[in-house]
Amino acid sequence: KPKTVATTDIKPFPSLAEEALKDAEDPCRIYWDMTFVFRTISDEDRKKLSQEANEPPRKDFTPRKTHWRHHRKKKPFNHEVFVKKAQLAGLVTSSYLSTQEDEIYVRVGATHERLRNQADNIDFPMPLHEARLRTLARRGLPEQHIAPMDIPERTPPADGAHAFSRFRAFEYIHGKFDTKEELEPLYLRTHEHAYHCGNSERSLFNSMRRLKLIWSCLNDDRSKGGANIPIEKHVAKGKHGATRETLLAALAMHDRTER
């Protein structure tokens, strides 16, 4: 069963400045990494939808199938439907109206705990810490019947002690994320990446990984803990002005310090 908890009761939310003061791996820290833009429904569209909702189902005769087929009415996809589905998938949302009152902006975030659960749900690949992985491999995991192993990086001295590869044995290794406590130390934290020079927060997920996990929470099937919302499909329909589709854009909120 996928790990997810509905978040419809998490209100009010701390400000972004207050969130930034929390530890990067605080289970309750919320990362607001995506914003969705919806157009407001005009009075004309609202009237049209109301009329269509009150119409009886149409029946079309299809000779090929030789039976009467009832046409199901397509349900509108607006910010209210989106927010409900996102919250049921364990995400948090915050909505506000634009200055011109023609668009609605919906911020979508996830707690650190929700991101961990989704990473476990989809076996999200994570970089492993080279030194800690080497230590664990040499020690082995007797409780899981895994014998100790020591992978040599060079040929024997008699053969010239040549390197087998330009990479070390435990360098650039990735593994599926798992929420088991004993595996937590193996995952490389953001501040430990060479290209961050130690300036990033000590967190499991950088902004790019958080975006991928939130995207998974929204798009993936419910069996994987997702909301089963085909975002790209709804954006395409919304841009073409479909009456029932109001989603115009999905925006990723990148972390400037990581760009």
Side-chain angles (χ1 to χ4, degrees), residues 38-253:
F38 292 81
R39 64 177 174 83
T40 55
I41 301 177
S42 64
D43 292 337
E44 183 180 347
D45 286 344
R46 197 181 301 276
K47 183 179 179 181
K48 183 178 179 181
L49 290 172
S50 178
Q51 290 175 346
E52 291 179 356
N54 295 326
E55 290 178 358
R58 293 183 293 109
K59 295 180 179 179
D60 287 351
F61 181 72
T62 54
R64 184 173 61 84
K65 295 183 178 179
T66 63
H67 72 278
W68 291 91
R69 176 165 55 89
H70 290 265
H71 283 271
R72 292 183 179 179
K73 295 178 181 178
K74 294 181 179 178
K75 295 181 180 179
F77 183 81
N78 52 36
H79 79 282
E80 294 177 350
V81 176
F82 173 81
V83 165
K84 183 177 180 180
K85 289 186 175 183
Q87 289 179 341
L88 289 175
L91 299 174
V92 291
T93 62
S94 176
S95 308
Y96 57 95
L97 195 62
S98 67
T99 304
Q100 294 80 12
E101 299 187 357
D102 60 341
E103 293 177 338
I104 298 172
Y105 302 112
V106 181
R107 290 191 308 166
V108 175
T111 62
H112 180 71
E113 183 67 19
R114 180 66 185 91
L115 294 172
R116 291 176 72 256
N117 288 339
Q118 189 61 19
D120 193 348
N121 289 338
I122 63 174
D123 291 333
F124 192 71
M126 288 285 292
L128 304 180
H129 191 279
E130 181 182 359
R132 295 194 287 265
L133 179 60
R134 181 186 291 108
T135 301
L136 178 65
R138 288 175 176 174
R139 187 177 72 240
L141 292 171
E143 63 278 7
Q144 305 210 3
H145 308 289
I146 298 178
M149 65 179 78
D150 190 4
I151 303 175
E153 297 177 353
R154 292 181 176 275
T155 60
D159 294 333
H162 299 295
F164 287 116
S165 169
R166 62 192 181 96
F167 299 114
R168 294 182 294 274
F170 295 95
E171 188 179 15
Y172 302 121
I173 301 296
H174 285 64
K176 298 177 182 178
F177 184 82
D178 196 298
T179 52
K180 292 179 181 177
E181 187 176 352
E182 61 269 23
L183 296 178
E184 282 282 327
L186 284 180
Y187 303 116
L188 196 67
R189 266 52 182 181
T190 51
H191 76 291
E192 295 171 326
H193 288 274
Y195 53 83
H196 285 164
C197 301
N199 296 325
S200 296
E201 285 189 301
R202 183 188 185 282
S203 179
L204 274 171
F205 311 112
N206 59 16
S207 65
M208 185 57 66
R209 291 193 179 95
R210 293 197 305 267
L211 285 169
K212 290 180 179 180
L213 290 170
I214 290 179
W215 190 256
S216 170
C217 289
L218 291 169
N219 285 268
D220 282 357
D221 188 77
R222 293 184 180 89
S223 63
K224 295 182 179 179
N228 197 25
I229 305 174
I231 300 296
E232 293 180 350
K233 179 180 177 181
H234 286 301
V235 169
K237 290 182 177 180
K239 286 183 176 180
H240 283 84
T243 305
R244 291 182 174 82
E245 301 284 342
T246 62
L247 179 57
L248 300 177
L251 309 175
M253 316 304 288

